[in-house]
């Protein structure tokens, strides 16, 4: 097993996850099987109870694990299905060690950070690195490890010590450390001192930089690169520049141009590995398709999408939604123009308190080609989302509701089609007369972490739904599988009345009692899904749900569906809604 450790210095949030994912992709293009592990030094057991405005979105894994958003980057770049154990936190490690101590595994010994915590970290990495995570079902060849935060943080010290020991444990030629640093440009001058100090601190902690990836807003001058190499005691070739570029999907191309793959091949002695010719061929095809997909075409026509949400102050709160929209726009040869609208600005109260903001928000919504309402928790902003759903329904504008966005569409229909003006969700008003969305009976109101309906679940398309646009996007299959994260569901007591009013619940769970998909028949595209299909969208295989939404917003949905059906006939298999060889 080979390991690539990606650490960071100076400041956090400068792109370690993208560089880690890009390094993994380059290795995968050689035919190697790659997995990834993210280390988060916080004490939380997982990301499930973290606020989106503080930490960004919570990415849901196939097995229901609630993880850091960087695992989403790994899955999107590398086409993996990771597990909850691929996200290591301080909380998980200490919980595991304390449980062992209570069982008596350390009986008679004093349990300490060194060696017990550090050993637990190393054992976890070695065990999880061997778990198959791709469609081959085989043990990976390379594991990408990203250490969150910055080296020198108090909370990451046990992990730094563990990884220092781990380097010598796995032996020479089996681990490479890429250290990501920031090079600021002040008054036009590239400053190397922060990187010099970061590398000095890194070495004093025990880690050794094999490669230094310098983040900068522009390409570094050669003299700057030479200065960094000389000051940090590395060769000139060991310093790469990761400048700001048009799209993050071009980072692998940028790194490949600077010889990163050659450096990894040399340091990890990859030539000694035996890779089957079929995998080499598959990797080469992957690289050609990636370049074809991510290299921007000149003068692409834009598609304007309005995202009406609750957490727009931090775009990372909707990271997977943004990426799914980008994947679909790229597939349709369009440039995504995403307009952020705070749902509260669409409410009547905003008209009274801030008329300018109110009218600007409505102006942005009304000129958009499509409207998406993503997930969220709590009642703040929901009245504005309801108004957006009403506008999209009445004006025949493509609408996609995700999780809360689906529930919002149901609330809107209950208020304006069924006449229940006080219709709402139990989440917002537990005493309301018409609670068209209710708490799921199997949920817990006492324990918050890990108690939602999580992970991949099946949705069964109902008999008579052959007309459904969404079903067609999934290749006219009878079942679709997507990941979920929710505590509330549509109240089954109102289904009959809602369907009489025009809503069609075309998708339900295996019991037939839980509503999964709602769609309007006489509408260009009005779909609400309880699931989060953005979590399974990939750069080279966009989510069928999002692809349909974008295609409808452009006006080419019929062509997309026709191509999906044609591709399914050619492959004689299950369509994923976006065959790799088709561009619309």
């Amino acid at each position: 097993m080979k390991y690539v450790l990606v650490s960071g210095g100076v400041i956090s949030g400068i792109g370690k996850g993208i560089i880690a994912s890009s390094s993994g992709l380059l290795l995968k293009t050689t035919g190697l099987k790659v997995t990834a592990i993210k280390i988060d030094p916080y004490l939380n057991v997982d990301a499930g109870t973290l606020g989106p405005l503080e930490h960004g979105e919570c990415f849901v894994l196939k097995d229901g694990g609630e993880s850091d958003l960087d695992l989403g980057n790994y899955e999107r770049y590398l086409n993996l299905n990771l597990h909850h154990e691929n996200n290591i936190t301080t909380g998980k490690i200490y919980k595991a060690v304390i449980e062992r101590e209570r069982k008596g595994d350390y009986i008679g010994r004093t349990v300490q950070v060194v060696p017990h915590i550090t050993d637990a970290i190393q054992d976890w990495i070695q065990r999880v690195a061997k778990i198959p995570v791709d469609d081959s079902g085989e043990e990976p060849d390379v594991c990408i490890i990203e250490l969150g935060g910055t080296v020198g943080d108090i909370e990451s010290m046990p992990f730094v010590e563990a990884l220092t020991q781990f380097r010598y444990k796995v032996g020479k030629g089996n681990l490479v450390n890429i250290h990501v640093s920031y090079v600021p440009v002040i008054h036009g001058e590239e400053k190397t001192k922060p990187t010099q100090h970061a590398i000095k601190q890194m070495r004093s902690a025990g880690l050794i930089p094999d490669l230094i990836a310098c983040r900068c807003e522009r390409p570094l001058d050669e003299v700057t690169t030479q200065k960094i190499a000389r000051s940090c005691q590395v060769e000139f070739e060991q310093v790469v520049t990761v400048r700001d570029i048009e799209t993050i999907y071009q980072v692998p191309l940028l790194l490949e141009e600077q010889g990163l793959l050659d450096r990894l091949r040399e340091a990890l002695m990859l030539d000694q590995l035996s890779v089957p010719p079929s995998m080499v061929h598959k990797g080469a095809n992957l690289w050609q398709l990636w370049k074809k997909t991510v290299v921007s075409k000149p003068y692409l026509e834009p598609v304007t999408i309005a995202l009406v949400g609750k957490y727009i102050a931090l775009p990372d709160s909707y990271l997977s939604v943004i990426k799914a929209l980008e994947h679909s726009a790229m597939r349709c040869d369009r440039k995504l123009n995403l307009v952020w609208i705070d749902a509260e600005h669409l409410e009547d109260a905003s008209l009274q308190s801030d008329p300018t903001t109110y009218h600007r928000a409505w102006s942005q919504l009304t000129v958009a080609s499509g409207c998406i309402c993503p997930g969220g928790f709590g009642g703040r902003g929901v009245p504005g989302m309801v108004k957006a759903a009403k506008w999209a329904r009445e004006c025949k504008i493509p609408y996609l509701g995700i999780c809360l966005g689906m529930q919002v569409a149901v609330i809107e229909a209950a208020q304006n089609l069924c006449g229940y003006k006080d219709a709402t969700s139990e989440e917002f008003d537990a005493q309301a007369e018409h609670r068209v969305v209710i708490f799921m009976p199997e949920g817990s109101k006492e324990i918050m972490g890990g108690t939602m309906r999580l992970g991949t679940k099946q949705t069964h398309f109902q008999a008579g739904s052959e007309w459904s646009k969404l079903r067609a996007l999934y290749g006219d299959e009878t079942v679709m599988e997507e990941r979920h994260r929710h505590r509330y569901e549509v109240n089954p007591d109102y289904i009959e009345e809602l369907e009489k009013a025009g809503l069609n619940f075309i998708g339900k769970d295996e019991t037939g009692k839980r509503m999964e998909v709602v769609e309007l028949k006489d509408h260009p595209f009005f779909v609400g899904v309880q699931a989060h299909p953005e979590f399974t969208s990939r750069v080279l295989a966009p989510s069928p749900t999002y692809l349909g939404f974008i295609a409808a917003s452009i006006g080419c949905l019929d062509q997309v569906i026709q191509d999906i059906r044609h591709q399914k006939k050619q492959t004689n298999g299950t369509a994923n809604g976006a065959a790799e060889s088709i561009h619309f």
Side-chain angles (χ1 to χ4, degrees), residues 439-450:
F439 190 80
M440 292 189 296
E442 70 269 32
S444 171
K445 294 185 179 181
E446 288 76 38
I447 305 297
M448 301 300 287

Side-chain angles (χ1 to χ4, degrees), residues 526-577:
F526 192 99
V527 171
V529 292
Q530 189 61 72
H532 288 268
E534 63 269 19
F535 292 143
T536 56
S537 185
R538 304 288 183 261
V539 179
L540 302 180
S543 158
T545 303
Y546 281 83
L547 179 60
F549 170 63
I550 290 292
S553 301
I554 295 170
C556 64
L557 179 58
D558 290 341
Q559 180 62 46
V560 168
I561 291 174
Q562 181 180 334
D563 288 335
I564 288 171
R565 287 170 171 163
H566 176 70
Q567 180 70 17
K568 184 182 178 183
K569 288 180 180 179
Q570 283 188 328
T571 58
N572 195 28
T574 302
N576 68 355

Side-chain angles (χ1 to χ4, degrees), residues 225-261:
T225 304
Q226 290 174 341
K227 184 177 181 181
I228 291 173
R230 183 173 61 252
S231 302
C232 299
Q233 296 85 51
V234 297
E235 298 294 331
F236 179 81
E237 294 76 15
Q238 291 176 267
V239 182
V240 297
T241 304
V242 187
R243 59 178 171 82
D244 292 349
I245 50 179
E246 184 176 358
T247 167
I248 59 171
Y249 305 118
Q250 294 177 7
V251 173
L253 281 68
L254 183 65
L255 294 175
E256 195 267 345
E257 288 172 2
Q258 298 179 71
L260 177 65
L261 185 55

Side-chain angles (χ1 to χ4, degrees), residues 147-306:
L147 175 60
T150 57
V151 174
D153 295 342
I154 293 175
E155 59 264 30
S156 66
M157 290 175 65
F159 293 102
V160 171
E161 175 61 28
L163 291 166
T164 299
Q165 297 177 16
F166 191 66
R167 184 184 192 104
Y168 295 97
K169 182 177 182 178
V170 300
K172 184 179 180 180
N174 291 316
L175 187 146
V176 166
N177 191 170
I178 302 175
H179 195 68
V180 183
S181 185
Y182 178 58
V183 179
V185 179
I186 300 176
H187 301 305
E189 183 182 356
E190 298 163 357
K191 295 294 186 179
T192 66
K193 195 64 72 176
T195 297
Q196 294 179 44
H197 283 298
I199 297 299
K200 182 179 179 181
Q201 187 171 32
M202 176 190 185
R203 289 184 185 276
S204 67
L207 295 176
I208 301 172
D210 300 292
L211 294 161
I212 301 174
C214 297
R215 281 285 291 112
C216 189
E217 62 191 48
R218 69 187 193 193
L220 291 184
D221 296 334
E222 184 176 334
V223 66
T224 303
T225 304
Q226 290 174 341
K227 184 177 181 181
I228 291 173
R230 183 173 61 252
S231 302
C232 299
Q233 296 85 51
V234 297
E235 298 294 331
F236 179 81
E237 294 76 15
Q238 291 176 267
V239 182
V240 297
T241 304
V242 187
R243 59 178 171 82
D244 292 349
I245 50 179
E246 184 176 358
T247 167
I248 59 171
Y249 305 118
Q250 294 177 7
V251 173
L253 281 68
L254 183 65
L255 294 175
E256 195 267 345
E257 288 172 2
Q258 298 179 71
L260 177 65
L261 185 55
D262 293 333
R263 303 286 86 75
L264 293 175
R265 184 181 285 113
E266 179 184 350
L268 293 172
M269 298 185 287
L270 297 180
D271 292 337
Q272 297 180 9
L273 297 180
S274 177
V275 182
S278 60
M279 292 298 293
V280 174
H281 180 69
K282 185 177 180 181
N285 287 341
L286 169 65
W287 186 232
Q288 293 303 316
L289 183 58
W290 185 277
K291 290 190 290 185
K292 178 182 177 183
T293 302
V294 305
V295 174
S296 300
K297 302 174 181 64
Y299 313 118
L300 283 180
E301 191 175 337
V303 53
T304 300
I305 301 297

Side-chain angles (χ1 to χ4, degrees), residues 20 112 194 330 369 392 472 514 574:
Q112 298 175 292
M330 285 192 295
S369 300
R514 178 164 288 150
T574 302

